[in-house]
Amino acid sequence: MKDTDYAYAVARIRANERYLLSKSDIERLICAKKLSEALGVLKEHGWSVSGEKNEIENAILNQQKALWNLLCECVPEKDSLSVLCVQNDFFNLKAVLKCMITGKDASAFFVYPTTLDLELLVSAFKMHNFELLSGSIRETAEEAYNTACRTENGQSADIIIDKAALKIFLSLSRESDCELLRQAAEYITACADIKIAYRAAKTQKSLSFIQSALSGESDLDFEALSKSAAKGTAALSEFLKKTSYSKESALLEKSSAAFEKGVDDRVIELMKKAKYVFFGFEPVAAYYYAKTAELKTVRAVLFAKQAGIGEEAIRERVRELYV
């Protein structure tokens, strides 16, 4: 499609950007004396807050649905949105598989937005009929299910799903005409490989295990990354210091939460370039990531307040915002 075909979509996105929360709005959430006061701030920005049980999650879910409805309404080609939901789709696949094994209700673990028919996904596993699914999801679901049944090892199934998610996400982004999305996908995939390698190094996994778990698709040297991880966290850190991901390595050594926040912040900084793009998919992708970062921040702030965590500790969890 031509970039000008997104003129209407970009206009809708620009109109909705003014409703994104600003740093001052987040500060008001943090400084609120009560949870009800914080929720009131969100109401001022058009959030639907029920005041009932699970009100935080319900409010966030409503925002996720509104985000997806907006994008579906305004983009000229709905299939172009699938790349944005790949990671959520495969997370939901993993949730259904795990809950089938443990006997839990998968719906409690679903994340949104998603392109999947979640009821159909659950039925496919219950009936062991993966023909109900389509494309890469079908292939991955069947392989992960068969592996879990054969090995009785949930970790092996997780590796299959996570690896497929990264490969498909990167493949779709590379097929896209959106340069910012390609850059973000390359970065996210590399950081995912770094996190996998670090966990494997910390738990002293074998080289063969590490190489089977890594996507092998990132711009990191696959052999060097896997071999350094097999030698332990010190060797892995030494390798990463020589790459463009030295900052991410330092954050991961600090904590997993610091690493995740750092990755999200870097993606938002990248997406801010879309503010100066007037046509094409870039503003659409940027708004998706902007809203996602906003929702992560709101969730972190509200649940921290609910748990009685101090204001300074909460501020450390706040993501970079788009506006």
Side-chain angles (χ1 to χ4, degrees), residues 74-141:
C74 67
V75 297
E77 181 55 65
K78 304 298 184 294
D79 288 345
S80 64
L81 296 174
S82 60
V83 63
L84 301 176
C85 290
V86 169
Q87 291 168 304
N88 284 355
D89 288 348
F90 279 84
F91 180 92
N92 289 335
L93 170 58
K94 189 190 298 186
V96 173
L97 177 58
K98 286 189 173 182
C99 288
M100 185 198 68
I101 295 171
T102 60
K104 293 181 180 179
D105 180 9
S107 63
F109 302 96
F110 288 148
V111 293
Y112 301 88
T114 179
T115 64
L116 300 178
D117 181 330
L118 296 175
E119 290 185 5
L120 190 64
L121 181 63
V122 172
S123 297
F125 275 95
K126 284 183 177 179
M127 299 168 61
H128 304 165
N129 181 11
F130 298 104
E131 293 300 319
L132 294 173
L133 307 176
S134 60
S136 55
I137 284 287
R138 180 186 66 239
E139 296 169 5
T140 305

Side-chain angles (χ1 to χ4, degrees), residues 9 13-14 16-17 20 63-72 74-75 80-89 92 111-115 169 178 181 184 188 264 267-268 271 274 281-296 320 322:
I13 292 300
R14 297 298 187 221
N16 279 271
E17 282 178 356
L20 290 170
Q63 286 292 302
Q64 290 170 330
K65 289 180 177 179
L67 165 63
W68 193 242
N69 288 339
L70 169 65
L71 298 186
C72 288
C74 67
V75 297
S80 64
L81 296 174
S82 60
V83 63
L84 301 176
C85 290
V86 169
Q87 291 168 304
N88 284 355
D89 288 348
N92 289 335
V111 293
Y112 301 88
T114 179
T115 64
F169 175 50
C178 180
L181 183 58
I188 291 168
D264 288 344
V267 171
I268 288 299
M271 288 296 163
F281 191 70
E282 278 82 356
V284 176
Y287 184 78
Y288 175 85
Y289 281 102
K291 191 65 181 180
T292 299
E294 174 187 284
L295 296 179
K296 285 182 179 180
E320 180 70 24
Y322 187 72

Side-chain angles (χ1 to χ4, degrees), residues 20 30 46 49 62-63 69 88 98 141 151 154 174 183 220 223 229 234 283:
L20 290 170
I30 295 171
V49 181
N62 288 335
Q63 286 292 302
N69 288 339
N88 284 355
K98 286 189 173 182
T151 65
R174 286 170 175 170
Q183 292 177 21
L220 287 161
E223 289 294 328

Side-chain angles (χ1 to χ4, degrees), residues 87-300:
Q87 291 168 304
N88 284 355
D89 288 348
F90 279 84
F91 180 92
N92 289 335
L93 170 58
K94 189 190 298 186
V96 173
L97 177 58
K98 286 189 173 182
C99 288
M100 185 198 68
I101 295 171
T102 60
K104 293 181 180 179
D105 180 9
S107 63
F109 302 96
F110 288 148
V111 293
Y112 301 88
T114 179
T115 64
L116 300 178
D117 181 330
L118 296 175
E119 290 185 5
L120 190 64
L121 181 63
V122 172
S123 297
F125 275 95
K126 284 183 177 179
M127 299 168 61
H128 304 165
N129 181 11
F130 298 104
E131 293 300 319
L132 294 173
L133 307 176
S134 60
S136 55
I137 284 287
R138 180 186 66 239
E139 296 169 5
T140 305
E142 187 168 12
E143 183 183 0
Y145 172 79
N146 290 337
T147 298
C149 292
R150 184 179 68 256
T151 65
E152 297 184 351
N153 184 343
Q155 189 176 46
S156 297
D158 282 352
I159 288 173
I160 291 169
I161 296 171
D162 291 341
K163 195 169 184 176
L166 287 174
K167 286 189 172 186
I168 293 166
F169 175 50
L170 201 53
S171 175
L172 289 176
S173 69
R174 286 170 175 170
E175 292 172 6
S176 169
D177 293 329
C178 180
E179 177 60 27
L180 285 183
L181 183 58
R182 287 197 294 270
Q183 292 177 21
E186 297 283 353
Y187 176 75
I188 291 168
T189 303
C191 288
D193 272 350
I194 289 171
K195 189 171 183 179
I196 291 167
Y198 186 80
R199 284 178 174 175
K202 204 168 184 179
T203 53
Q204 300 179 320
K205 296 294 186 181
S206 67
L207 176 60
S208 60
F209 175 91
I210 295 169
Q211 290 183 331
S212 70
L214 294 174
S215 75
E217 300 288 330
S218 71
D219 60 357
L220 287 161
D221 185 317
F222 177 77
E223 289 294 328
L225 177 63
S226 56
K227 288 179 179 178
S228 62
K231 294 176 183 178
T233 55
L236 176 61
S237 296
E238 191 62 30
F239 163 70
L240 290 172
K241 284 178 183 177
K242 301 173 184 176
T243 71
S244 59
Y245 298 94
S246 57
K247 180 180 178 181
E248 286 75 12
S249 175
L251 288 172
L252 191 52
E253 289 177 16
K254 182 180 179 181
S255 72
S256 178
F259 175 78
E260 296 290 350
K261 179 183 178 301
V263 172
D264 288 344
D265 288 351
R266 177 70 184 89
V267 171
I268 288 299
E269 286 296 339
L270 182 62
M271 288 296 163
K272 284 182 179 180
K273 296 177 183 178
K275 292 181 178 181
Y276 310 103
V277 177
F278 302 100
F279 299 105
F281 191 70
E282 278 82 356
V284 176
Y287 184 78
Y288 175 85
Y289 281 102
K291 191 65 181 180
T292 299
E294 174 187 284
L295 296 179
K296 285 182 179 180
T297 291
V298 170
R299 178 185 278 111

